[in-house]
Structures are given as structure tokens and as C-alpha cells.
Amino acid sequence: MASLASVVSKTASAAKATRTGSRAPPQGGILEGANPSHYNPSNPLTLFIIQASIIIIFCRLLHFPLSRIRQPRVIAEVIGGILLGPSVMGHIPGFKNAIFPTASMPVLNMAANLGLVLFLFLVGLEVNLRLFVTNWRVALSVGLAGMILPFALGCALAVGLYNQFSNEPGTVPVGFGVFTLFVGVAMAITAFPVLCRILTELKLLGTDVGVVTLAAGVGNDVVGWILLALCVALVNAGSGLTALWVFLVSVGYVLFLIYAVRPCFLWLLVRTGSIQNGPTQSVVGITLLMVLASAFFTNVIGVHAIFGGFLVGLICPHDGGFAIKLTEKIEDLVGVLFLPLYFALSGLNTNIGLLNTGATWAYVIAVITVAFAGKIIAGTLAARFNKLVWRESLTIGVLMSCKGLVELIVLNIGLQAKILSTRTFTIFVVMALVTTFATTPLVTFLYPPWYQKKLGAWKRGEIDWDGNSLGSNGDDKAVLSGKIPSTQVRKLLVFLRLDSLPSLFTFIALLGGDNSPRPASKVHPLKGEALPAGETASAETEPKRPLEVHGVRLIELTERTSTVMKVSELDEFAVRDPVVNAFRTFGQLSNVAVSAGVAVVPQSSYSEVITGKATDLSSDMVIIPWSETGSISDALLPDSAENRFNGGPHNQFILSTLADAVSNTAIFVNRGFGGPSIEPVPRTLGRTVSAHSLKGRNEVATAPVVDRSHHIFFPYFGGSDDRVALRFVLQLAKNGNVTATIVHMRYPELAPAQSPTAPPPVLARVPTRQVSSSQVPTTADFTSSEPGARYNEEDEAFFSTLADSLLKDLQPRVAFETIVTAQPLQDALARAKTEVGRSSKNAGDLVVIGRGINSRGKNIREELIALLNSLGQPAGAGSETRKSLGDVAEALIVAQVRASVLVVQAGPGGGAAAEKS
């Protein structure tokens, strides 16, 4: 019994000792009163998340207003770091110790440097040495001049900086030669990644300025990193002999990567199909391991780890778009999370308060002046030497002065190597911010779009330097000779979308008319001589090819590196684009003359690109397919029918294109044109002989369309849009597979004081969904009650002329009618339902209408309101769709007419030309 009591007593004592002395740390977190911002070396993740979140949010908020003036994101990241650092928020008591304590900085620094290694790998991927080789002469001259003069001026400036600031706290004794080399490199380097983004943002990559600057920037970037690696090796080496060994080992490693690693890597990519189909997950993993291993090696031999990542990026191939596809895999993580940490650290290490003397500010001004003067003077003279005009040359010089994030990387390396003090580091950071910030506005001022157009026309010999035309264009010749311009569509510009290709192909084939070559009898080559005398093999008749179709494929330009790479490699990317290739193949098989190009631009510039292409090509008509999903991008995921017409950016794109149109423009809303559409069917469990199994329609082959006929219904209301649309319908009807019904919806003849009879009220059903009042159509847009009768005389004369002069070949397939009605919209809708959709096995029917935004009367809107209420959809397809397509098109869409819809808008003078002809 005594022994049992002693055991219990010892156990209780041990438990008490455990509670008081060796208890495990609290696991309840804030529930047990723990401070989440307290730095715990054994668990630094909590504070790291707080730091990263503050940096990312702060930088994103700053970037929003700066992006409005076209400033790169690195500006916001550095300014954000400066504001979070000792310059501003560091003055708040307790802020630094709570959020950025000194003990936590190694963890933040490690994450930032890991991101920097990956970013330099992306920079290496972005560098395309073929661009330098192709333009080696101008690239070499501009690049070398843009490095030699700034390097020399930097060395001269280094004398004063070394004597003034080399002995400040935070530095180690370095020789004047090493310090001079570092300052010279800092002045000579150009920010290639930021340069690409500025050129893309300003749409200069396709100009002589863009090509020269980009080619020179490639060489400048590579040479700059080599010089920086040499500088770091000299700093880290204990003696000159050690520095020599570091340099030789680095050269040997570069040769090893080029001649040993790269061939093996290419073999792996070919073996796995990664070049043709994009990198597999295993290839991405192997590539990242190569980046880390290379960074490790360059770090342990005395060169910074970032050079290892950069070198692996350089040896990656650009064939087949591999570099672009690999960049797409990792760029978001690096750009969104890691890179802001690094550049915010630059700001945290910057202390504007140290610029507190006149001498210091004098050096700030001197450094900025040297940075601008060296690059601008050298780049301008070198470009002028290559026979560019002075304004182009000056623009190139300004672009080469951009420092950006590459300069900040150089400065951080100098700060970590203790070559620069915090004060000197701050001086150079201010210089980097000023030069980068000033690049975009200076280039916009020196090389505006109007000057680019003038210079391009001057180089093509269209105008003299004063802007005077050197020759008459085709339209002038037609006017001088008294000829009326043709209203037939001979040159067609098409906006290529992946989701609209089948319907576009069918439509273009119709417009080409019966243009197929007659098949010829074929004779085997060996039997050609065996033909009887006087007989020859029948030859194919050479088909006429009056229709030229030019396709433009638009890809959104974002802040991602991969889209910028697509712009710089646009020619190669266009060759690989599947939509462009499908379009070219269609042209060859359908005997239509086609050309296609790709443009990578921001979504806000889509309409500008299309109108610019139409102007350059002198297009007779532009066709824009309405999105199948409601998205302006090529989204392939199915969406509801409601969302198809409620896409805000897509509707805005359509409106902008129509507002700025320079030629006749048509919006094509596809509804099974080209054949019956296949609706997705959910896979469900069904009974089979053996058991339940999933069954779907994916295995069922689609039968070919036997009946290739199309029927077109065109309600003619009058106005310039309808006149152009009527001409276009007759051109489509020249195809033997097309029949057309053309109905003139004419108002009754009215006395001047009369108004049309209001349509009878339609019983409205309860709306099926809640709608905003802003989406419901009203008659407030119409200041006059005029129904459009003022167009009756000229429109009826135009309609009668075309009906009476109808070609003999078209008379069996085209019918003209006139309906006198006070309810033209309702009657047109009722007639459309009887005309189209009658055959479910044909190749699809089409309703063609004029947009008529400016020619439809107030009573059309009244009819639309009544119709939408009767259908239980008072908002219809939405106000933006109504503005884009017009009231009649909205009625056809909401009423679910079983046909595709083509909305035509006349270009400047289009309706008048149609009327005269």
C-alpha cells in the first residue's frame, strides 16, 4: 500500500513538472492570446504571409492609377517599398518592429531572391538571339554605342562618388577599379523586359524604331549581365588570381551549358513532344531543377545565383513556341507573388531621408543627367548613322535610356556585396525611377501615332516630306474618269474567332459565288503520250477569283510576359496559330483568295486594329462574328443564351467598331449557319445488356449536310443601311444554292399632319426574371414622332429599280414583295418565322437587316416594347445589345427566329454609292 502511494505521488510530481517546465508551446494561436505579427524563428510563415499580403495589396493599389499613364508595374512596386520603408511609414512608431522586424528579413529576402532567380530565367527565355542575329549590323552599332558612352560617363562620375561615399557605414573597402566598373555597368545597362512592355504598349514593335530598339536591347542585356557577373566575381574574390579562376570557370560553365546540356535538353524535348505540344509536367519539373542547379553552381563559384537562372533561360529553344508555352506555366506565380517582394525590398532598403545635403542632391541630379545624356546621345547618333531620320533616332535613344527593374537588380547586388552604401543606393534608385517613369511620356511626345503614319507614307513614296500626295489613288482616278465606284464586295475583311470559324467558312463560300473550277479529265503521266493524234487531255478552266478575303486574328495583350513574347515573335507565332492555318486551308480548298494575320493588342484596341486594317486594305466590307459565348476572347466553354448577349466588353467592342467604321460593316449572329448545330447532351446512366453504363452522343458521327441550300429573308425598311444590305443580299443570291425573299415594309402614305396608327396593345405576361430599369427600352431617345416616312420616296424608288433590273439568272431564286403596314416590325417578324427555318436539313437560313440606328422611327421602338412585354422579357437582349444591333435585330433574337442574323451598317458614303449604282 505504501509502495502504491509512493508511485502515485511520483506520477503527480512528474505531471506538475511537465505543466510548469517542459510544456509544449501553445497551439491555440490567437485563441490563446498569441500575437500573429510576433516573429517566431521556428514558425516564420505567419509573419511572412502578413508581409507578403501587405506588399502585394499596396503595390496593386499603387499600380492602378499609375497604369492609367502607361507606367510599368515595377514603378508601383518600388514606390510601394519606399512608402513602406524608413522613408515614410518607417516613421510610424512601432511599424517596422511589428511588420518588418529585422529578424524576419532573411526569410523575406530568401523568398524574394528565389523569385528573382525564376524571374531571370524568364528574362533569359524572353531574349530571342535570332532577333539580334537578323539585325546584327544596326543592333551592334546602337547597342555598343549605347553602352560605351554611358559606361565612360559613369566611370567619370564614379570618381566623385567614390571619394564622397565609399567609406560610409554598410560598405566594405573595395578598390576604385571595382567601384568604377560597377557604376559604369549601372549606367550602361538597359532594362530589356520593361523595354519590351513599353514598345508593346505603345504599338511600336512593328515599326523600325521597335525593331532596332529591341535588337539592340537584346545585345545590351546579354553584355550587361556578363559585365555585372565579372564585377561580382571581382568583389567576391580575395585576390586577382582568384577572380581570374572565377572568370575562367564561368566561361567553361557557359560552354558546358551550350555544347553539353542544351543538346541533351533538346533531345528530351523532341522525345516527349514538348516542342510541338508544349512542355509536359515532367519537362517543367526538369527545367526548374536545371534552373535551381545552375543557380546553385554560379552562386558557389562566386557569381550571383541569378546568372545561373538567366543562362538556363538563354539555352531554352524558341522553336514551336516552346519558350512562350513554358513561360505561361510559371509567369503568374513569379510576377504576382515573388517579384513584388524583391522590388519592395529595394524600396525598404531605400531611405530618402539620407538625401539631406546639397552635395547629395547635386550627385542625384548628376547621376540622372548622365543616365539620360549618355544613352540618348549615343543611341541617337548610332541610329542616325544607320540612316534613320532624326526623330526616329532620338526616340531610339530615349528608349535605350530606360533602366527599370534590371537596374534595380544591379543596385541590389551592389548593396548586398556592400559596394554601395544605403545613401548611394538611394541615389541610384531615384535615377532608375526617374528614367523609367519618363520613358513612356517622352516617346509618346517624340513619336506620336500621326507622325508614324506620316513617316510610313513618306517611306512608301505616297507623300513628300511636307505631306503632299505624290500620286492619285484608285478612288480619285475613278472620280476623274467619271466612273461610278462598284458596290460589289470584292475585298472582305473578317475578324477571325475560333468559335465562329464553321459559320464564317460557310458564309464566305456563299459570298464567293459559284466559283469552283470545273474538274478536268486526268491522264496518267506515263500514258500521256499514248493518246491518239490530235487528242489532248482536257485542261482545267482557270477560275475567276474576284473575291479577296483578309482575316485578322486578335489576341489579347496582357501584363504577362508570354503575351509580350508573342508580339516580339509575331511572324513565327502567326505561322503556328491554328485559327490562321485553318483559315488559309479553307481558302485553298474553297478557291477563295485569302490572307491572314495576327495582332496581339489590348482589348481596348481591338476596334482600332480592325478599322486600321480596313483602311490599309481598302476593304469593301468588314464582317465581325458575334461571340458564341458572350466573351470577347475565344472562350470555348459553353454559356447560357442569356449571357451570350450580356457580355459588356464584347458589346463595347462591337459599338466601338461600328462607331469608327470606315467601310460597310456587318455583324454576324450565328444560329446554326452551315448545318444543324449539335447541342451538348449530358452523359447519363442508361440500361445496356450487361449493366448500367454512361452513354453519350460523342461516339455518334455527324452526317454530312445533303441539302446545301440557304434561304435569305430581308425586310427592307429603308435608309442607307438597308440600301447597302439589299445590294449585299443580291450578291449572296448569285450563289446557286441561295434563294431570297426581299420584302419592302412600307408605311401607309400619310398626310403631313397625320401620324401612323399605333399598334394594338399586346397582352403582357409577367416577366420571367428581375431586370434593371436601365435595360428596358423606352422612346425617350426619339425627339420626333416621325415614323420614318420621309425616306419612303427615295427608298421605294431604289427598291423598285433593283426589282425591275434583276438579273435573269436571279429571277427564279429571288422574290421581291411590298407590304403596306402600320406595324412593320410585327409583320416583319411574323413573315420571318414563315420564311426561314422551314427545312431542318438544309445548311442554315439567314435573316439580313440594316442596323438602322439613325433611320428607324419612334413607332418601331413602340412595337419593340410591346413585343418584349408580350414575350415576358421587358429588357429584351439588354440595352447594350440593342445599341449594337438595333431594334429589329433585337426583336429577331428575343423571338427566337430559327435563322442566323446579319446586321449591316453602311460605311461613310456607302448608302449613297449603293443608290447611285
Side-chain angles (χ1 to χ4, degrees):
M1 195 70 180
S3 61
L4 179 61
S6 62
V7 170
V8 172
S9 176
K10 291 179 180 179
T11 304
S13 300
K16 182 178 180 180
T18 301
R19 289 194 301 269
T20 57
S22 57
R23 180 185 176 185
Q27 300 298 315
I30 59 175
L31 299 179
E32 294 188 6
N35 183 4
S37 65
H38 176 71
Y39 177 68
N40 183 2
S42 61
N43 185 22
L45 180 62
T46 303
L47 183 58
F48 174 78
I49 293 175
I50 294 175
Q51 293 170 338
S53 301
I54 291 175
I55 291 173
I56 293 173
I57 294 173
F58 205 69
C59 294
R60 289 282 170 175
L61 291 176
L62 283 174
H63 178 58
F64 179 75
L66 290 173
S67 64
R68 300 297 180 182
I69 54 176
R70 295 181 170 183
Q71 292 301 320
R73 194 170 63 237
V74 64
I75 295 288
E77 291 166 351
V78 176
I79 293 177
I82 292 175
L83 296 178
L84 292 171
S87 301
V88 181
M89 301 187 72
H91 293 290
I92 301 175
F95 177 79
K96 183 179 185 304
N97 293 330
I99 305 300
F100 297 104
T102 305
S104 70
M105 298 310 289
V107 177
L108 189 62
N109 193 59
M110 183 193 67
N113 279 280
L114 175 62
L116 184 63
V117 170
L118 294 176
F119 174 71
L120 262 294
F121 166 66
L122 294 179
V123 172
L125 281 175
E126 194 173 358
V127 172
N128 190 351
L129 294 177
R130 281 181 291 187
L131 182 64
F132 179 83
V133 174
T134 304
N135 305 277
W136 70 270
R137 188 183 301 276
V138 62
L140 192 63
S141 58
V142 175
L144 283 179
M147 292 197 73
I148 293 175
L149 182 58
F151 186 87
L153 294 176
C155 291
L157 188 62
V159 177
L161 291 172
Y162 184 80
N163 294 328
Q164 187 77 21
F165 305 112
S166 61
N167 296 323
E168 288 193 332
T171 61
V172 296
V174 295
F176 174 72
V178 174
F179 185 84
T180 302
L181 177 62
F182 182 84
V183 174
V185 172
M187 289 295 182
I189 204 162
T190 295
F192 178 75
V194 176
L195 195 61
C196 287
R197 282 152 184 79
I198 291 176
L199 289 171
T200 305
E201 175 72 22
L202 299 180
K203 303 172 188 174
L204 296 178
L205 276 178
T207 64
D208 293 342
V209 168
V211 173
V212 171
T213 305
L214 207 60
V218 170
N220 191 296
D221 201 45
V222 174
V223 174
W225 288 117
I226 293 174
L227 291 177
L228 184 60
L230 177 62
C231 183
V232 173
L234 292 173
V235 173
N236 294 335
S239 64
L241 182 62
T242 304
L244 178 61
W245 277 111
V246 171
F247 177 74
L248 293 177
V249 171
S250 300
V251 173
Y253 179 63
V254 172
L255 296 176
F256 171 74
L257 287 176
I258 295 174
Y259 295 106
V261 176
R262 191 172 190 273
C264 297
F265 188 54
L266 288 176
W267 176 86
L268 175 66
L269 297 181
V270 173
R271 185 66 179 263
T272 58
S274 296
I275 290 183
Q276 297 83 3
N277 306 316
T280 63
Q281 189 178 53
S282 299
V283 168
V284 173
I286 292 172
T287 307
L288 292 178
L289 286 175
M290 289 170 55
V291 172
L292 296 177
S294 182
F296 168 79
F297 182 79
T298 55
N299 197 50
V300 298
I301 65 173
V303 185
H304 201 283
I306 62 173
F307 299 104
F310 179 72
L311 291 174
V312 173
L314 282 181
I315 67 171
C316 288
H318 288 248
D319 301 332
F322 173 79
I324 296 176
K325 295 171 185 175
L326 180 60
T327 302
E328 291 173 341
K329 303 289 185 182
I330 59 178
E331 61 182 338
D332 284 344
L333 179 64
V334 176
V336 174
L337 177 60
F338 288 118
L339 208 55
L341 301 182
Y342 184 83
F343 294 119
L345 277 177
S346 301
L348 290 172
N349 292 326
T350 303
N351 190 353
I352 302 295
L354 294 178
L355 307 179
N356 53 5
T357 65
T360 304
W361 276 106
Y363 276 106
V364 171
I365 297 173
V367 168
I368 294 174
T369 303
V370 168
F372 271 124
K375 285 287 188 179
I376 293 177
I377 293 174
T380 301
L381 294 178
R384 181 58 181 166
F385 176 77
N386 284 279
K387 299 181 180 180
L388 276 77
V389 300
W390 277 111
R391 201 160 181 172
E392 284 182 309
S393 304
L394 188 59
T395 305
I396 291 172
V398 171
L399 286 167
M400 294 297 291
S401 69
C402 178
K403 301 294 183 185
L405 47 83
V406 175
E407 178 74 11
L408 294 170
I409 294 172
V410 172
L411 297 177
N412 276 280
I413 292 175
L415 185 65
Q416 294 170 5
K418 298 184 178 180
I419 301 174
L420 301 178
S421 65
T422 303
R423 191 191 308 270
T424 314
F425 176 80
T426 303
I427 291 174
F428 278 91
V429 167
V430 172
M431 177 271 291
L433 286 175
V434 171
T435 53
T436 305
F437 192 92
T439 300
T440 299
L442 285 176
V443 171
T444 304
F445 172 76
L446 291 171
Y447 206 60
W450 67 265
Y451 182 79
Q452 298 173 35
K453 293 180 180 178
K454 173 187 173 182
L455 188 63
W458 176 73
K459 289 184 176 181
R460 292 191 298 268
E462 299 174 0
I463 61 173
D464 60 17
W465 186 250
D466 295 327
N468 301 315
S469 177
L470 297 179
S472 300
N473 55 31
D475 293 337
D476 294 337
K477 293 178 181 178
V479 173
L480 292 174
S481 61
K483 295 180 180 179
I484 299 175
S486 173
T487 58
Q488 294 292 308
V489 175
R490 302 300 185 192
K491 290 185 179 181
L492 184 68
L493 178 64
V494 180
F495 174 37
L496 298 178
R497 293 180 56 94
L498 180 60
D499 53 4
S500 304
L501 283 185
S503 57
L504 280 178
F505 289 169
T506 304
F507 189 83
I508 295 171
L510 280 184
L511 190 59
D514 295 328
N515 199 28
S516 303
R518 282 188 238 161
S521 303
K522 301 296 182 182
V523 178
H524 194 282
L526 297 179
K527 297 185 178 181
E529 299 178 357
L531 292 174
E535 293 187 17
T536 58
S538 59
E540 292 187 3
T541 58
E542 185 68 23
K544 297 180 180 179
R545 299 174 62 174
L547 180 65
E548 295 180 12
V549 184
H550 304 274
V552 56
R553 165 95 157 132
L554 299 181
I555 297 176
E556 182 185 4
L557 174 65
T558 64
E559 295 181 348
R560 289 185 171 93
T561 303
S562 56
T563 59
V564 179
M565 294 171 67
K566 290 176 183 178
V567 178
S568 60
E569 302 178 19
L570 193 58
D571 294 338
E572 299 176 13
F573 181 76
V575 174
R576 300 188 304 267
D577 186 78
V579 174
V580 171
N581 286 330
F583 182 68
R584 289 170 178 157
T585 303
F586 157 76
Q588 294 175 356
L589 297 178
S590 303
N591 196 47
V592 176
V594 300
S595 68
V598 179
V600 183
V601 294
Q603 282 190 359
S604 58
S605 301
Y606 276 19
S607 60
E608 180 183 347
V609 171
I610 289 180
T611 53
K613 287 285 186 182
T615 302
D616 296 340
L617 298 171
S618 300
S619 300
D620 300 319
M621 177 169 281
V622 177
I623 294 184
I624 303 175
W626 192 275
S627 172
E628 300 284 347
T629 60
S631 171
I632 195 172
S633 62
D634 283 331
L636 295 181
L637 295 177
D639 210 338
S640 65
E642 177 183 340
N643 291 337
R644 182 184 183 188
F645 295 99
N646 289 338
H650 182 264
N651 285 335
Q652 188 59 45
F653 156 64
I654 297 292
L655 278 172
S656 300
T657 306
L658 292 173
D660 301 332
V662 295
S663 61
N664 300 333
T665 305
I667 309 299
F668 182 70
V669 183
N670 176 45
R671 286 184 168 181
F673 199 71
S677 59
I678 301 176
E679 300 294 337
V681 176
R683 297 172 66 88
T684 57
L685 282 173
R687 172 70 67 179
T688 62
V689 176
S690 58
H692 286 286
S693 64
L694 285 173
K695 300 179 68 175
R697 289 194 351 190
N698 293 337
E699 299 85 1
V700 179
T702 303
V705 178
V706 178
D707 182 5
R708 297 183 178 275
S709 65
H710 304 269
H711 185 65
I712 298 176
F713 174 66
F714 174 47
Y716 177 80
F717 291 87
S720 60
D721 295 344
D722 284 44
R723 288 194 288 270
V724 172
L726 177 53
R727 280 289 188 185
F728 191 64
V729 169
L730 294 178
Q731 183 172 351
L732 288 173
K734 291 181 179 179
N735 190 293
N737 292 321
V738 174
T739 58
T741 300
I742 303 172
V743 179
H744 184 192
M745 311 302 299
R746 197 184 74 178
Y747 290 103
E749 294 186 6
L750 303 173
Q754 290 179 318
S755 61
T757 304
V762 182
L763 183 62
R765 297 203 305 263
V766 178
T768 57
R769 58 187 176 90
Q770 296 293 329
V771 296
S772 171
S773 59
S774 62
Q775 301 294 321
V776 178
T778 66
T779 58
D781 298 335
F782 300 93
T783 57
S784 172
S785 60
E786 186 81 24
R790 60 183 179 275
Y791 297 104
N792 280 357
E793 293 183 4
E794 60 177 319
D795 290 332
E796 184 173 0
F798 179 76
F799 182 85
S800 301
T801 300
L802 288 185
D804 295 339
S805 61
L806 186 65
L807 295 176
K808 185 176 181 181
D809 294 341
L810 299 183
Q811 291 177 3
R813 291 182 282 109
V814 178
F816 283 85
E817 298 180 21
T818 299
I819 298 179
V820 181
T821 174
Q823 305 174 44
L825 180 61
Q826 294 189 25
D827 289 343
L829 188 61
R831 184 62 183 271
K833 290 184 177 182
T834 62
E835 287 284 340
V836 298
R838 293 183 295 179
S839 174
S840 60
K841 297 182 180 181
N842 73 344
D845 293 338
L846 181 67
V847 178
V848 179
I849 56 175
R851 183 169 179 241
I853 292 295
N854 299 320
S855 59
R856 300 290 184 256
K858 182 177 180 180
N859 62 321
I860 292 288
R861 177 61 58 86
E862 292 174 346
E863 285 191 79
L864 177 65
I865 295 172
L867 173 67
L868 296 181
N869 287 328
S870 68
L871 295 173
Q873 298 187 37
S879 60
E880 291 185 347
T881 303
R882 190 176 309 118
K883 292 177 183 177
S884 301
L885 302 179
D887 291 352
V888 180
E890 184 182 22
L892 293 168
I893 292 171
V894 176
Q896 297 292 319
V897 174
R898 296 173 58 187
S900 300
V901 179
L902 185 75
V903 182
V904 179
Q905 173 183 282
E915 182 181 359
K916 291 178 181 178
S917 59

